[in-house]
Amino acid sequence: EMAEAKREPGSWLGADVKKAALTARKLDQDWDVTTPAQDEEQKLNNGAIVRTRFPPEPNGYLHIGHAKSMNMNFSLAFDKLGVEPSRRETLFRYDDTNPEAECAEYIDSIKEDVAWMGWKPVRTTYASDYFDKLYELAERLITEGHCYVCFQKSEDIEQCREAARTQAQARSKGLSDKDAEWPSGNPFSPWRDMEVAVNMERFRDMKKGKYDEGECCLRMKMDMTSSNLNMFDQVAYRIKFCAHPHVGEKWVIYPTYDFTHCVQDSLERVDFSICTLEFESRRESYYWLLHHLGMFKPMVYEMSRLNIEYMLLSKRKLLKLIETKFFHGWDDPRMPTIKGLRRRGYTAGTLNKFCDTIGVTRNENLIEYSFLQEIFRQEVDASARRVMAVLEPIKVVLTNPDHETVGKPLQVPDFPQKVDSSQHTVALTPTLYIDGADFREVDSKDYFGLAPGKWIGLKYANLCICCDEVRVSPETGEKELICTAAVLPPDGKRPQGCVQWVPSNGLKLEARLYDHLFKVPQPSDEDWEAQLNHESEVILSGARIDPSILLTEGGGGQELPSTGTHFQFERIGIFVVDPDTSPEKGLVMNRTAPLKESKAKLKVALQNSKSAAELEKEEKRKEHQRKALEAKAARACLDPKDLFKQPEYAGKFGAFDDSGVPTHDAANVPLTKSAVKKLKKDWAKQKKVFDKSQK
């Protein structure tokens, strides 16, 4: 008879599900493999459905990293698996196993964010809904000798784990406890081998509240000799005398995340348990527990975390910026939280498309922040009406207000890029405002704004103005430009410069300009606070905007546009109405993103802004690049058999094979298989380059 084929993870899935798309590391043990009976039970429960879950812990606000996880679990994973929409199910689960850090505020906030992002879970569950079942399973593990009550203090547990870690390292080098170099220390808890009956009694006493917090805990009897730190007898239950935000005061012992999430995945019949790469080393412990409980084993897939330039996702660091009043709250528009991004003006559609576009990978990478901005611009381009606004207004007084164009209503397109665009009306008043960035008292050839004696065009007005005089208020220092208006300058040539303007009845506006949170794309862990951009928020309270944005009420009155409405300010950027807007405070708008600059324009602006020191630094960088290229060319001519005899490898190796690959370290100890494999890979790369250089 033929031997039965070796079973693989995900064996219950049909051939039409491309499970290879979400397959990662296979365990050396068969803990991650289901039995035929478990496969049949899964098929019976789920039918043709493929199920994932989105399991945030309600201990804070969701951020853009969670947006990636939502997108993966509600959509992208199914696309990769080739599962049609009618067969997709995603559970929304609160991973609420830590009552001290969780509260109703976070629970409600997460629910709101998931709904705003447009995701519709098949149902919402809580880890705490399973506390009775989890307790029952813990008692079963005690009965079978797989759990014990431990009275070690946390520092003693850590000391044992450190002993286990150093001994695992020694074991990987071929040492044993018989060798003189074997690290000292006992990795095992003194309570590890207590009788089942004693452990059961103590665990039940834990449940009854007979022990103090931190006095003892329930630990799983895993593998203290493993090279994986997450197999060092993890804690399954700990004592916490605090109420739970979802189930109240029923419990004084709570299961840990490591004990709960794999069990709940199994109980909820999840097919794919998707998490980020920092949980990759927990594969062994995830499947160890399900194996010893004899439960169904979902497939596990880990993806890289989302890293974006200039962004901060550390909850600890964000909280510090809240406490020091750098941020105004968790919905501060500079925050990476869903609420912060929403207030800044990003739409759910933008965030989802961004996550779709960057996709998922198992390699760490850094995404450019400008990519998010560009997706946003594309998203709102057809819906954000164009208006004229000036952020730092300068008053312009026309000396010939009787000109035929002045005082007449102008029809301005809402979307200039559309041939059949709708329009709004703006009156060209005798007194108007231009932006301070569009006026200089000293002109230059490369400047196209207004200056004394110079003509510029007014956008949409078919009119030009020339600055005849600059008046400065002795009290306030404010400038007032006295200008002449004409269809064309005296020379009959239309000026190159054309600026936006706002009529005298323009609305006052508080414009909040937001920029990168940091001065560098990748802030360091050590100096992140010093690298903060203290001009990441600039508030201009005296800005003005085209009054056509006012909405007409049923009774003929006018009201301010509603929160979340986007407008594109001509030549400035895309803004959104902030929730602070009110009849009392007036109009408040946040800049979501500046307008896209051409690469050539950005390069010129960058060159003009560089100091002598920066230019010197750039020259040094170019010189360094030149030398690096020369070194690379020289390295290409290096025979691979001499690769590991170069200065950078001096003192590392003591013996080599015939091709020049090291076999022993400097102390003549044989290298591990994995070390030799890596060195052979480097040797092969050098051989490829060398062979190419010889042609």
Side-chain angles (χ1 to χ4, degrees):
E1 294 183 11
M2 290 184 63
E4 184 182 353
K6 186 175 177 63
R7 296 181 64 77
E8 295 291 332
S11 53
W12 67 91
L13 295 165
D16 58 331
V17 177
K18 302 171 186 175
K19 67 178 183 181
L22 296 183
T23 297
R25 178 170 63 92
K26 174 74 178 70
L27 297 188
D28 294 335
Q29 309 89 342
D30 283 336
W31 296 341
D32 53 357
V33 175
T34 50
T35 65
Q38 289 170 342
D39 287 356
E40 289 306 311
E41 190 177 359
Q42 180 73 354
K43 292 175 187 177
L44 186 64
N45 277 276
N46 283 15
I49 293 296
V50 176
R51 185 173 295 147
T52 60
R53 86 286 188 270
F54 172 61
E57 182 183 353
N59 64 348
Y61 293 88
L62 298 187
H63 56 61
I64 194 167
H66 293 104
K68 178 182 176 181
S69 178
M70 278 188 266
N71 185 270
M72 180 66 171
N73 281 290
F74 281 93
S75 176
L76 190 56
F78 297 113
D79 292 343
K80 287 179 169 292
L81 294 167
V83 177
E84 59 192 45
S86 62
R87 296 173 55 199
R88 303 178 178 186
E89 278 191 3
T90 302
L91 303 175
F92 168 31
R93 176 198 304 166
Y94 289 106
D95 222 333
D96 56 344
T97 59
N98 189 15
E100 287 177 318
E102 298 156 0
C103 64
E105 175 189 347
Y106 297 142
I107 290 173
D108 294 341
S109 170
I110 292 171
K111 180 181 179 182
E112 180 184 289
D113 286 346
V114 171
W116 181 76
M117 289 291 291
W119 303 119
K120 296 179 180 179
V122 66
R123 69 177 184 273
T124 299
T125 66
Y126 294 76
S128 53
D129 291 339
Y130 296 87
F131 278 180
D132 287 308
K133 181 65 177 177
L134 289 163
Y135 180 83
E136 174 192 320
L137 293 173
E139 286 205 344
R140 190 208 297 177
L141 288 171
I142 293 172
T143 300
E144 295 173 0
H146 300 309
C147 274
Y148 62 97
V149 175
C150 179
F151 287 83
Q152 284 185 299
K153 301 301 181 187
S154 57
E155 56 268 25
D156 296 327
I157 292 177
E158 189 54 43
Q159 195 173 27
C160 285
R161 286 177 171 166
E162 179 60 21
R165 186 185 65 80
T166 55
Q167 290 176 12
Q169 288 179 336
R171 203 174 286 112
S172 70
K173 296 176 182 178
L175 297 175
S176 74
D177 58 3
K178 302 293 189 297
D179 293 302
E181 299 89 349
W182 184 254
S184 62
N186 180 9
F188 300 103
S189 165
W191 288 272
R192 197 173 196 263
D193 296 320
M194 293 300 294
E195 296 84 352
V196 167
V198 173
N199 283 319
M200 186 67 77
E201 181 182 1
R202 288 173 174 173
F203 184 52
R204 289 173 178 172
D205 284 344
M206 283 174 60
K207 183 187 177 188
K208 293 172 184 175
K210 291 186 177 182
Y211 298 112
D212 293 333
E213 281 194 33
E215 186 175 353
C216 59
C217 62
L218 183 71
R219 295 176 67 182
M220 293 175 272
K221 193 183 290 186
M222 303 173 90
D223 184 3
M224 296 300 291
T225 66
S226 172
S227 59
N228 185 332
L229 277 63
N230 288 298
M231 290 297 290
F232 293 171
D233 288 11
Q234 289 181 342
V235 174
Y237 269 84
R238 70 277 202 224
I239 301 167
K240 289 184 179 293
F241 291 108
C242 63
H244 190 282
H246 183 59
V247 296
E249 299 181 353
K250 178 180 177 180
W251 297 89
V252 296
I253 57 170
Y254 292 97
T256 60
Y257 168 83
D258 290 301
F259 185 76
T260 304
H261 83 290
C262 56
V263 171
Q264 192 169 355
D265 282 346
S266 183
L267 292 172
E268 292 180 339
R269 295 289 165 185
V270 168
D271 292 294
F272 288 89
S273 178
I274 302 169
C275 54
T276 46
L277 274 172
E278 67 264 32
F279 293 98
E280 204 276 344
S281 62
R282 281 179 156 91
R283 273 179 169 259
E284 277 80 0
S285 58
Y286 181 102
Y287 285 120
W288 179 94
L289 182 53
L290 293 181
H291 174 75
H292 283 82
L293 287 171
M295 298 180 70
F296 167 76
K297 300 151 188 173
M299 290 192 71
V300 174
Y301 181 78
E302 304 91 0
M303 60 183 181
S304 63
R305 290 174 67 97
L306 178 59
N307 296 303
I308 305 178
E309 287 181 341
Y310 304 102
M311 268 199 180
L312 181 66
L313 298 182
S314 164
K315 190 181 299 178
R316 176 181 58 82
K317 293 175 182 177
L318 292 173
L319 183 60
K320 185 171 185 180
L321 294 180
I322 290 274
E323 292 170 344
T324 57
K325 308 298 183 184
F326 186 93
F327 286 141
H328 309 302
W330 289 98
D331 66 343
D332 188 300
R334 294 165 293 176
M335 271 275 189
T337 56
I338 301 295
K339 284 181 167 45
L341 292 163
R342 181 179 180 180
R343 186 166 187 176
R344 184 154 174 167
Y346 288 109
T347 65
T350 294
L351 298 180
N352 286 326
K353 187 175 181 182
F354 172 74
C355 294
D356 258 338
T357 307
I358 63 173
V360 296
T361 174
R362 288 177 61 83
N363 299 316
E364 292 294 338
N365 52 15
L366 183 67
I367 308 298
E368 292 182 19
Y369 185 82
S370 58
F371 187 51
L372 174 63
Q373 291 180 319
E374 183 54 31
I375 288 178
F376 167 73
R377 293 187 194 100
Q378 295 172 8
E379 181 83 15
V380 301
D381 183 66
S383 59
R385 179 161 80 82
R386 274 54 166 179
V387 293
M388 291 191 289
V390 290
L391 300 183
E392 298 180 274
I394 294 182
K395 184 185 286 187
V396 173
V397 178
L398 301 180
T399 57
N400 52 340
D402 56 345
H403 188 281
E404 61 181 17
T405 306
V406 178
K408 290 185 177 181
L410 305 174
Q411 295 303 307
V412 177
D414 293 331
F415 301 94
Q417 76 277 24
K418 294 182 180 178
V419 177
D420 56 347
S421 169
S422 55
Q423 297 179 324
H424 60 275
T425 302
V426 181
L428 181 63
T429 53
T431 298
L432 51 90
Y433 297 91
I434 66 170
D435 201 291
D438 290 324
F439 175 75
R440 286 184 188 174
E441 293 199 53
V442 179
D443 197 12
S444 61
K445 289 183 179 180
D446 59 350
Y447 178 64
F448 301 110
L450 186 62
K454 182 179 181 180
W455 289 85
I456 61 164
L458 294 180
K459 201 158 191 179
Y460 302 121
N462 194 29
L463 194 71
C464 302
I465 60 171
C466 177
C467 179
D468 303 317
E469 181 186 353
V470 180
R471 295 176 183 172
V472 181
S473 167
E475 290 82 19
T476 64
E478 291 182 358
K479 294 175 182 177
E480 185 177 283
L481 310 181
I482 309 303
C483 298
T484 300
V487 174
L488 288 173
D491 63 5
K493 296 180 181 179
R494 188 166 296 281
Q496 281 186 286
C498 186
V499 302
Q500 81 273 18
W501 52 276
V502 172
S504 59
N505 65 334
L507 291 177
K508 282 195 173 182
L509 159 73
E510 181 178 295
R512 299 173 179 175
L513 310 183
Y514 292 101
D515 202 349
H516 295 315
L517 181 60
F518 290 98
K519 293 178 282 188
V520 295
Q522 280 186 281
S524 66
D525 285 337
E526 299 79 22
D527 301 322
W528 68 274
E529 288 181 271
Q531 294 166 339
L532 284 168
N533 176 13
H534 289 273
E535 294 183 357
S536 56
E537 179 186 61
V538 175
I539 298 177
L540 303 175
S541 56
R544 289 180 178 263
I545 190 170
D546 169 358
S548 70
I549 68 165
L550 289 171
L551 303 173
T552 303
E553 296 175 311
Q558 292 183 313
E559 64 178 12
L560 296 168
S562 58
T563 297
T565 305
H566 291 92
F567 293 94
Q568 182 167 308
F569 291 8
E570 298 263 7
R571 300 177 61 232
I572 298 174
I574 302 170
F575 286 69
V576 67
V577 179
D578 186 82
D580 284 346
T581 295
S582 67
E584 296 75 30
K585 187 174 178 64
L587 185 60
V588 180
M589 298 185 77
N590 304 325
R591 184 176 67 185
T592 310
L595 297 182
K596 186 177 181 180
E597 298 277 16
S598 70
K599 289 185 179 179
K601 189 173 179 181
L602 283 172
K603 187 175 181 180
V604 170
L606 183 62
Q607 284 296 127
N608 291 340
S609 68
K610 285 179 180 174
S611 64
E614 287 173 322
L615 290 171
E616 182 183 354
K617 187 176 180 180
E618 186 172 309
E619 285 302 314
K620 287 182 179 178
R621 180 181 59 80
K622 289 179 180 178
E623 176 65 14
H624 177 74
Q625 286 179 333
R626 183 184 64 77
K627 289 181 177 179
L629 287 172
E630 289 176 355
K632 186 176 180 181
R635 186 70 169 233
C637 300
L638 178 68
D639 192 312
K641 74 176 188 305
D642 298 321
L643 172 64
F644 299 106
K645 295 175 184 176
Q646 296 305 299
E648 64 261 39
Y649 297 105
K652 290 186 177 182
F653 307 117
F656 306 82
D657 64 14
D658 293 340
S659 62
V661 176
T663 58
H664 293 67
D665 65 15
N668 209 32
V669 176
L671 299 176
T672 63
K673 288 183 179 180
S674 60
V676 172
K677 184 177 179 182
K678 183 179 183 304
L679 293 170
K680 283 183 175 179
K681 190 174 181 181
D682 293 339
W683 183 92
K685 285 182 182 177
Q686 180 61 30
K687 186 176 188 306
K688 186 176 180 181
V689 173
F690 176 74
D691 291 345
K692 189 175 180 181
S693 71
Q694 301 304 302
K695 291 179 181 179

